[in-house]
Amino acid sequence: MNGDFARVTFDSAARFSRVLLQQGRILLEADFNEQSAIHHHFLRSLIVDLIGRHWRAGDSFTLAADPQGTADFSISAGHFYLDGILCENDSACSYATQPWPYFPDAEQEPPTAGGLAYLECWERHVSALQYPGLREVALGGIDTASRAQIVWQVRVASQTWVDAHLALVLGALQLRLAIAKPEDRPSIQLVIDHVTNSQTAFTNALANFPGAEADCATAGDLLDALDAARPLMRARAVHDATEDDPCSLSADAAFRSRENQLYRIEVHDSGLADGHATIKWSRENASVVFAIRGAPKLDAESNTLSVGLESFGHDHRTGLCEGQWVELTGDAFEFTPVAPPLGQVLKIDRTRHTIVVQLQQKTTVDFAHCTLLKRWDQHDGVNAAGVLQVEEHNSAAWLPLERGVEVQFRVGGYYRTGDYWLVPARVASRDVGWPQAAGRPAAIPPHGVQRHRAALAYFKRDAADGWEFGRCGCSMLPLCP
């Protein structure tokens, strides 16, 4: 969630049942948002406990071959509950025409042999820039509250795709095993064995298609194995115990800023910390976003973009300056695992509401799909592409961001584009709000994006017989039809 939030306070481990307002107290947006999160956590947990993690209502989300014999396949209308989250398909569609299309590597067609069709969903942040109807015209169209939206996609996993992703997962786990303490190695080895067994079971299920119901259980294990090596990050600010004056900011104070911030550290390029994974960061939770007016124009000779913007923000905090890093993004990048192109602001024309962005690398991106321009705040230590290389350490080495805020990535993580951590930093405490473990900053997985997956069907496809689908998952019918 990249909204303009002060902090995100919900923690399921706290076991809070509701938020209680008190008379004469200030109401913060974090309190209201936590109440909503508590309520959703209860409802989703209840659904899972009563029925299960993955189930469809009736024949919802049933897959079938296209009667016209094309490479596409149909997805029936209805409801599917994934970890208690309602995925709604209002009308029958196809793989190519689903509401939030997913085209890995810019290819529309699914694998030509066989594989696993699965459902993936997550919650994304939607602002008035993406959905203008959120603005209240009677208030002059000012920005008010934003929304959370459930996005779902039917995806397909081929043997090649599974092997490539699990190779990265296993590579990260092997790194953890290599540096683990003797008492921690058995638990890591169990995870490695589970991932390896899931990969083998998937291969066997494809070979034995249509197989048995047990193959659907192995498909669920496989999808869970994709998250077996989520990266771990710690955050801190270095304290100065001798500095007690709240009006003074010493050079070695913890958080050296005169404004409270919510830092967002987000993965840009996927991969391992072997030169592939990169990050970017924002001190405003990546909430400084501008609507693009028209299609950006690329000058191929200078590799610059001329971008028209609807506005330049309200003030310096939400505005743009020359030299800052920005990304051109939109739904096409959010719904497909591709890192948006980054560039540096070269020139700002505030009269014509246009900017010139210097791209650091040649790209084949179709900028007509870019509808938003998002500001990022990384500066020191960036590479030629404007991002920071992920370096993992289990020692005293930390990555400084700015103003005393530092982060550290633990050894053995598989980083994925869009994953993020939130680090609230406060002037009053001159520190960051971060969980502690044994008196040190705890290493925790990303706060988001929380992706949920469920197997729908194994499938087989060939030129002679076309599509053939199995079926996975439980179906529930209404008690009172």
Side-chain angles (χ1 to χ4, degrees), residues 152-173:
W152 61 264
Q153 295 176 329
V154 172
R155 300 185 173 189
V156 290
S158 65
Q159 183 73 64
T160 301
W161 185 90
V162 167
D163 290 344
H165 281 266
L166 291 190
L168 293 171
V169 172
L170 290 170
L173 292 173

Side-chain angles (χ1 to χ4, degrees), residues 237-254:
V238 180
H239 289 275
D240 176 15
T242 64
E243 182 55 75
D244 296 323
D245 183 3
C247 298
S248 175
L249 297 175
S250 67
D252 57 350

Side-chain angles (χ1 to χ4, degrees), residues 338-352:
V338 176
L342 275 171
Q344 205 163 14
V345 178
L346 195 63
K347 182 180 179 181
I348 300 177
D349 188 335
R350 300 188 182 276
T351 302
R352 298 181 180 180

Side-chain angles (χ1 to χ4, degrees), residues 94-121:
S94 71
Y95 176 78
T97 63
Q98 55 185 305
W100 295 282
Y102 168 76
F103 303 139
D105 301 324
E107 293 180 0
Q108 179 171 331
E109 293 189 2
T112 56
L116 174 71
Y118 66 97
L119 182 66
E120 178 166 318
C121 79

Side-chain angles (χ1 to χ4, degrees), residues 42-53 55 81 84-85:
F42 166 74
L43 290 178
R44 291 168 181 174
S45 298
L46 180 65
I47 291 171
V48 171
D49 292 341
L50 288 180
I51 303 178
R53 286 186 59 192
W55 56 278
Y81 289 84
I85 300 172

Side-chain angles (χ1 to χ4, degrees), residues 44-261:
R44 291 168 181 174
S45 298
L46 180 65
I47 291 171
V48 171
D49 292 341
L50 288 180
I51 303 178
R53 286 186 59 192
H54 314 136
W55 56 278
R56 53 168 57 85
D59 292 327
S60 303
F61 284 80
T62 297
L63 310 183
D66 184 355
Q68 304 299 321
T70 68
D72 206 357
F73 61 84
S74 65
I75 307 167
S76 66
H79 295 168
F80 195 104
Y81 289 84
L82 183 45
D83 289 333
I85 300 172
L86 171 61
C87 300
E88 300 176 279
N89 187 18
D90 294 333
S91 58
C93 59
S94 71
Y95 176 78
T97 63
Q98 55 185 305
W100 295 282
Y102 168 76
F103 303 139
D105 301 324
E107 293 180 0
Q108 179 171 331
E109 293 189 2
T112 56
L116 174 71
Y118 66 97
L119 182 66
E120 178 166 318
C121 79
W122 69 94
E123 198 171 51
R124 73 162 182 156
H125 179 261
V126 176
S127 71
L129 295 180
Q130 299 150 288
Y131 196 88
L134 295 180
R135 296 187 187 275
E136 174 53 69
V137 178
L139 298 177
I142 62 174
D143 190 20
T144 54
S146 55
R147 301 292 188 272
Q149 182 184 53
I150 300 299
V151 172
W152 61 264
Q153 295 176 329
V154 172
R155 300 185 173 189
V156 290
S158 65
Q159 183 73 64
T160 301
W161 185 90
V162 167
D163 290 344
H165 281 266
L166 291 190
L168 293 171
V169 172
L170 290 170
L173 292 173
Q174 291 291 351
L175 290 174
R176 293 186 189 181
L177 184 65
I179 57 91
K181 297 178 181 178
E183 60 269 25
D184 295 332
R185 289 174 184 170
S187 61
I188 298 175
Q189 186 61 54
L190 282 176
V191 177
I192 292 175
D193 293 342
H194 173 73
V195 174
T196 303
N197 293 338
S198 299
Q199 185 175 14
T200 302
F202 175 76
T203 302
N204 294 336
L206 290 185
N208 298 329
F209 180 87
E213 291 184 6
D215 291 335
C216 289
T218 62
D221 292 339
L222 172 75
L223 296 175
D224 290 341
L226 295 174
D227 291 327
R230 299 189 74 194
L232 302 174
M233 192 193 83
R234 303 196 298 169
R236 72 175 186 182
V238 180
H239 289 275
D240 176 15
T242 64
E243 182 55 75
D244 296 323
D245 183 3
C247 298
S248 175
L249 297 175
S250 67
D252 57 350
F255 173 51
R256 300 190 299 272
S257 177
R258 299 187 186 278
E259 293 185 3
N260 298 319
Q261 308 288 0

